Amino acid sequence: MKKTNITKEDINLLIVSYLTNSIDTIDIARLTLWIQANEENRRYFNLFKDAWVLSASFTGSSAGSTEQNWEVFKHKLSAPERAEGISFKKRYLKNFQIAASWLVFFVLGSVVTYYLTRNSVVSPANPVSFMVPLGARSNIILPDGSNIWLNAGTTLSYDQNFGQKERIIRLTGEAYFDVASDKERPFIVQTSGIDVHAIGTKFNIKAYPDENTISATLEEGKINVSFNGESKNSKIIKLTSKEKFIFFKTVKKSEIYTESTEENTRPKIVQTTELPDARILTNVQTELYTSWKDTRWIIEGEPLGTLAPLLERRYNLQIVFVDDELKKYKFSGTIENETVDQILNAMQLTAPLKYKITKDTIRLNLNRNYKDQFGRIMNRKNTN
Amino acid sequence: MGHDIDQYWQKIRDGDEKSLEIVFKKIFAPLCKYTCQIIHDPFLSQEIVQDTLLQIWQNRDEIKIRNSFNAYIFQSVHNHALNALRQLKTKKQSVNHPGSDEIWQFIASHYNVDDDLAEKIFSDETELLIQKTVEELPEQCKRVFRMSRFESRSNLEIANELDLSENTVKTHIYRALHKITEILKKNN
C-alpha cells in the first residue's frame, strides 16, 4: 500500500517536519504508520528525536537562571505539603499569572503520581485531594480541563484513575464546576446525599456537612441528580438551566416550609409531592448561588440567619447571635473587597443591629432602641 | 554521569537539603531544555521542572527507585511535561504546537524516555560533542541549524531570511541531525 511507497527521503523530511513543528495531520498519520511498521523504524525515529533534544540549548534567557530558580525553589521547600494550591495562591497573589499557572501545575503534579505508580515507582494509591481552609477560596483545573472554584471550608478529592472511564469527584463543602465537555466520560460529583451527573456544563454544588441541605444549581446545560446513601429515593431528576435542586438530609416539615417560602419569593417551585426530601426550583437567578466564586458577591433578600454562615466561611470567623430575632432580617447588596467590619457597618444602617468583633468572633445584638422604627419600615416594605 | 546524581539520592531521602541543592543546580537547566522540547515554553518549562523536583522532595519517603535516580527524575519531568501539554491542549491555550489531537497522541505514544537519553541529557560530554559536530557542519547547514535550534526560528522564517525553499531548510536540518545521530551511535 501507500506506506511502502514512502522513500527514505520522505521519511527524513517528515521527521524534520515533526521536530520543527511544521507537520500537518495527514503527515502525522503517515509518520505514525511508518514508525509503527517495525522496530527498526522506531529506533531510527528515536535516534533523530534524541539528536534533536540533545542539540537544543536552553539558556532560559527569557526566564531566570538556575541560581534564581534555586532561590525560588528553596522557598517552596518549607511550604506546607497539603493544600498547596492555597498557600501558593496566597503567596503569589501579587503576580496572578504566576499563581494561576502554579495552581494548574499543582493539579498536574497530583496526576503525575498516577503515572509514576504505573511506571517504576510504588507509592500508595492515595486519592488526590484539595482542602480549602475557612476564609479562603481557590480555583483548580482538573486533569480533564474542567475548571473548579472551591469555596471556603471545602474538600474535593478524586482517585488517581480519574478520567479513565468516568470522572468522579467527591465533594464536601461548596464548589462551582465548569465541566469540560466529554460525552465518553461522564463527570460525577458525589456528596453525602446526592450524586450529580454532568457531561459538559456549569453548575454549583453546596454540600457542607454542618448544613441540613445539599443543593445543586445549574447555570447552563443539563445535569442529572440521583440520591445516594440513606435516601430511599431511586428517582433520577433531570435539571435544565437556571434550575436549583435542594435535598434535605433530614426531613423536618417546618424547615422545608420555611426554605420553600423563602425561595418562593422569586423562583417557582415545581414537583413537591413525589420527593418528600427534595425541592426543585425553576427560573432561579443563578448568580445568587454562584457569585461567591467571583470577587463580586451578590446577595439578594438573604435572611441574616442564612447569611451568617456564608460570612463565617468567607471571612473565617464565628458569628454569635445574642438575639435570635436578628436572624429574620433580610439583606441585599454586593460585596467586593469589603472587610467584615465594613459589611456589618452597612448592615447596621438597614437593620436594628449592634455588633462587636473580638478576635475571631462577632457577637450580634439586637438594637432595641431602633427595633420599633425598623419594624415599621419592614412592615411597610412587606405590604408593598 | 548518571551516577554523579545517583549518589545523592540516599542523602536526599534522609532530608538533606544541601544534596538537593547540588542535584538541583546540576540538572535544572538540562531538564528545562528537555521540557521545552515538549511544551515549547521556557517559562512553563521551569515551572514544571521545579514542580517535579518539589514533588520528589515532598514524597521522598514513599518513592522507591528501581533503576537510577537520574532516570527517575527524568521520567517524572517527562510525565509532567506531557501532562502539561495535554492540559494546555484541553484548555485550548496557544502552545506552539500545531493544535491537533493527532499530534498530541503522536507525542504521547512516541516520545518515550529511554535511560540512555536520560544519561546523555545530564552529560556535559555529550553536549561538548554535539557542539563540536555542529561547528564542523558546512556553513549554510550550520547557519540553518543554529537558527532552528538555538534561535527557535520556524522553517518558514529561516527560508525567507536565507532565501531558500522550506524543503531545503528541512534538508539542512536533516543533515545536521544525521551527523549528530552518528555521534550518538558511536558514543553508545
Side-chain angles (χ1 to χ4, degrees), chain A residues 90-108:
Chain A
K90 276 188 180 161
R91 206 139 22 103
Y92 285 92
L93 255 179
K94 277 184 192 149
N95 192 337
F96 184 72
Q97 261 198 314
I98 297 182
S101 59
W102 268 108
L103 288 171
V104 173
F105 286 105
F106 260 96
V107 181
L108 288 174

Side-chain angles (χ1 to χ4, degrees), chain A residues 282-348:
Chain A
T282 55
N283 205 12
V284 295
Q285 204 185 333
T286 53
E287 309 90 272
L288 297 179
Y289 309 107
T290 62
S291 69
W292 59 263
K293 72 183 196 316
D294 310 317
T295 40
R296 252 171 89 86
W297 193 30
I298 306 164
I299 300 161
E300 203 180 298
E302 193 79 40
L304 193 52
T306 54
L307 187 59
L310 305 180
L311 290 169
E312 283 181 333
R313 280 184 213 118
R314 190 175 170 110
Y315 294 100
N316 190 22
L317 34 81
Q318 247 201 319
I319 296 177
V320 180
F321 285 91
V322 181
D323 297 292
D324 272 350
E325 203 187 322
L326 274 174
K327 290 185 181 173
K328 67 172 205 266
Y329 285 93
K330 291 184 182 179
F331 294 91
S332 299
T334 307
I335 298 175
E336 223 161 322
N337 296 314
E338 284 81 2
T339 61
V340 201
D341 204 36
Q342 286 169 321
I343 294 169
L344 291 170
N345 231 318
M347 284 179 170
Q348 258 184 344

Side-chain angles (χ1 to χ4, degrees), chain A residues 154-171:
Chain A
T154 297
T155 305
L156 178 142
S157 69
Y158 55 88
D159 288 333
Q160 284 170 9
N161 61 9
F162 175 86
Q164 275 183 337
K165 277 185 193 152
E166 296 168 317
R167 298 174 284 172
I168 299 179
I169 297 282
R170 282 175 300 275
L171 174 77

Side-chain angles (χ1 to χ4, degrees), chain A residues 58 63-64 69 72-73 76 88 92 95-106 108-109, chain B residues 24 28 31-32 35-36 39 41-55 77 80-81 84:
Chain A
F58 186 87
N69 270 282
V72 175
F73 185 74
K76 288 178 201 155
F88 272 104
Y92 285 92
N95 192 337
F96 184 72
Q97 261 198 314
I98 297 182
S101 59
W102 268 108
L103 288 171
V104 173
F105 286 105
F106 260 96
L108 288 174
Chain B
F24 184 96
F28 187 74
L31 284 175
C32 288
T35 308
C36 207
I39 65 162
D41 181 328
F43 183 75
L44 276 188
S45 300
Q46 296 193 334
E47 308 273 296
I48 290 170
V49 173
Q50 281 205 14
D51 187 35
T52 313
L53 294 174
L54 183 66
Q55 207 181 34
V77 168
H80 259 94

Side-chain angles (χ1 to χ4, degrees), chain A residues 114-167:
Chain A
Y114 156 67
Y115 279 96
L116 295 183
T117 36
R118 218 178 44 165
N119 291 329
S120 55
V121 197
V122 186
S123 76
N126 289 330
V128 181
S129 64
F130 296 89
M131 279 169 279
V132 184
L134 292 166
R137 280 172 299 159
S138 183
N139 177 220
I140 60 167
I141 294 164
L142 295 181
D144 67 336
S146 295
N147 205 344
I148 300 181
W149 285 260
L150 303 174
N151 205 349
T154 297
T155 305
L156 178 142
S157 69
Y158 55 88
D159 288 333
Q160 284 170 9
N161 61 9
F162 175 86
Q164 275 183 337
K165 277 185 193 152
E166 296 168 317
R167 298 174 284 172

Side-chain angles (χ1 to χ4, degrees), chain A residues 197-217:
Chain A
H197 297 245
I199 293 166
T201 170
K202 293 177 181 171
F203 57 95
N204 191 76
I205 295 184
K206 194 169 156 197
Y208 282 104
D210 54 351
E211 288 179 14
N212 187 36
T213 59
I214 298 177
S215 63
T217 309

Side-chain angles (χ1 to χ4, degrees), chain B residues 134-146 172:
Chain B
V134 174
E135 279 310 311
E136 286 165 1
L137 291 170
E139 208 47 48
Q140 186 77 319
C141 182
K142 181 162 58 176
R143 209 161 157 197
V144 169
F145 191 69
R146 278 190 167 155
H172 279 309

